[in-house]
Amino acid sequence: MKKYFKLNNGIEIPSIGFGTWQTPDGATAISAVKTAIKAGYRHIDTAAIYKNEKSIGEGIKESGVDRKELFVTSKLWNSERGYEKTLKAFEKTLNDLQLDYLDLYLIHWPAIEKQFKDWKNINAETWRAMEELYSQGKIKTIGVSNFLTKHLEPLLETAKVKPAINQIEYHPGFMQHDTVALCGENNITVEAWSPLGTGKMLNNETLIAIAKNYNVSVAQLCIRWVLQHDVLPLPKSVTPHRIKENIQIDDFEISSEDMQTINKMEYFGGSGLNPDKLAF
Ligand code: A2P
């Protein structure tokens, strides 16, 4: 499996990221990050709203691995949208992480029609701040998260710098075909948050049976399946043996027949969050 994805701005991003949504702040987050880096992860994904950036930063520092070897992502929270607020929120994130640049900064969720009459303009203004930070070199790559086609299309009309990434929920039973297709047409790399469906994939009989054939866990099967779709998985765990397991996906390849079987699965669980219906 390839070790990096090449983004539309030429930057290379390690092909599995370490997810930290729902990782408790403090000792748990510090130790999870250190375990992950020791296990070989070089890509860490956090967000201001996870409220663990300080601990993630601490874990990165304590890992002893050179900053340049790591790819660190964070995300702008919804209350901070707009040009000025985005600039400020970014500085806080950078401070909390104790870093002097970010590899990737994402708009966490789009402003949506249900909440704001001028939602397109809000997203455009937020994006203008992202472009400014990008041009200053404070962020190496900028992107979005949870943007469905109806949110991405207007942004692409006003953006001077095209997003390099769209991070969306993606796992068996939830492939978000329209959004993935639009990203493909625009050379936007898709990242998969909750590639294990927040753990809901793990007890599925079909996946258990397929995983058994390859002598891997359902988690490994899901992560490999995501990668074989050229989507970048961000599995989350705080459990050392799972953290290690989730990066060991090179010793097997899912056959096209099994890929098809998984592709055809109907929705059977996930976060339940719909970017176009949220009230936060
Ligand atoms: P934990 O963090 O307690 O180890 P997702 O990445 O789809 O959001 O899924 C995260 C959930 O899946 C967490 O509850 C995590 O538990 C669990 N998980 C992560 N990796 C594995 C694994 N290899 N085996 C079983 N459960 C896992």
Side-chain angles (χ1 to χ4, degrees):
M1 215 61 235
K2 64 181 179 187
K3 291 281 163 236
Y4 296 91
F5 283 55
K6 191 152 194 161
L7 301 175
N8 64 16
N9 61 356
I11 286 192
E12 291 190 321
I13 177 171
S15 61
I16 298 182
F18 184 60
T20 64
W21 176 37
Q22 296 179 333
T23 297
D25 195 25
T28 307
I30 296 174
S31 128
V33 168
K34 281 164 71 182
T35 304
I37 293 175
K38 204 164 168 206
Y41 292 79
R42 289 294 177 269
H43 172 178
I44 317 280
D45 183 277
T46 184
I49 195 65
Y50 301 170
K51 309 270 186 224
N52 58 17
E53 285 175 312
K54 284 187 183 159
S55 304
I56 302 287
E58 193 56 37
I60 289 172
K61 209 163 88 181
E62 288 179 22
S63 77
V65 169
D66 195 342
R67 166 72 183 97
K68 290 196 292 295
E69 284 182 35
L70 298 172
F71 191 102
V72 184
T73 301
S74 193
K75 313 184 191 86
L76 174 86
W77 186 239
N78 302 353
S79 54
E80 310 307 313
R81 295 182 184 118
Y83 186 80
E84 293 298 337
K85 276 162 94 183
T86 298
L87 298 180
K88 276 205 192 103
F90 169 75
E91 288 302 332
K92 175 160 182 1
T93 272
L94 211 53
N95 259 324
D96 285 351
L97 283 164
Q98 302 181 61
L99 298 176
D100 53 14
Y101 70 92
L102 272 189
D103 296 278
L104 175 64
Y105 197 43
L106 304 174
I107 300 180
H108 205 150
W109 297 88
I112 56 173
E113 194 172 6
K114 182 175 164 254
Q115 280 190 300
F116 305 100
K117 219 160 74 190
D118 60 342
W119 62 280
K120 287 185 190 173
N121 189 46
I122 296 174
N123 289 331
E125 281 298 287
T126 307
W127 189 250
R128 200 162 63 80
M130 307 283 280
E131 290 173 329
E132 172 63 26
L133 293 163
Y134 179 66
S135 76
Q136 291 173 13
K138 292 181 175 174
I139 313 170
K140 303 295 176 196
T141 301
I142 50 177
V144 296
S145 181
N146 301 302
F147 273 56
L148 308 181
T149 54
K150 68 187 290 187
H151 312 119
L152 196 50
E153 273 164 352
L155 189 76
L156 288 171
E157 277 170 27
T158 57
K160 292 201 182 87
V161 179
K162 219 184 233 193
I165 298 262
N166 188 9
Q167 182 181 127
I168 58 173
E169 181 176 359
Y170 184 96
H171 47 74
F174 198 58
M175 294 183 70
Q176 309 226 50
H177 292 290
D178 291 353
T179 301
V180 171
L182 181 64
C183 290
E185 285 158 26
N186 286 282
N187 198 11
I188 297 171
T189 297
V190 176
E191 290 185 336
W193 62 262
S194 285
L196 316 179
T198 64
K200 296 195 179 87
M201 304 295 103
L202 302 167
N203 296 319
N204 179 276
E205 292 301 332
T206 305
L207 296 177
I208 290 171
I210 296 174
K212 215 172 194 175
N213 283 337
Y214 296 96
N215 206 13
V216 296
S217 68
V218 172
Q220 289 169 314
L221 180 76
C222 290
I223 293 162
R224 177 85 199 193
W225 173 84
V226 170
L227 278 166
Q228 286 187 213
H229 279 293
D230 231 13
V231 172
L232 193 158
L234 303 166
K236 172 266 176 187
S237 177
V238 294
T239 315
H241 77 269
R242 292 174 175 170
I243 293 174
K244 289 176 199 143
E245 178 185 316
N246 293 348
I247 205 168
Q248 283 158 13
I249 43 81
D250 282 328
D251 296 340
F252 72 109
E253 181 172 355
I254 307 170
S255 69
S256 51
E257 199 189 334
D258 287 334
M259 287 296 289
Q260 286 304 325
T261 305
I262 303 172
N263 296 348
K264 284 189 199 131
M265 291 173 81
E266 298 282 339
Y267 184 82
F268 60 97
S271 74
L273 299 172
N274 178 340
D276 206 35
K277 299 219 162 86
L278 297 177
F280 58 73

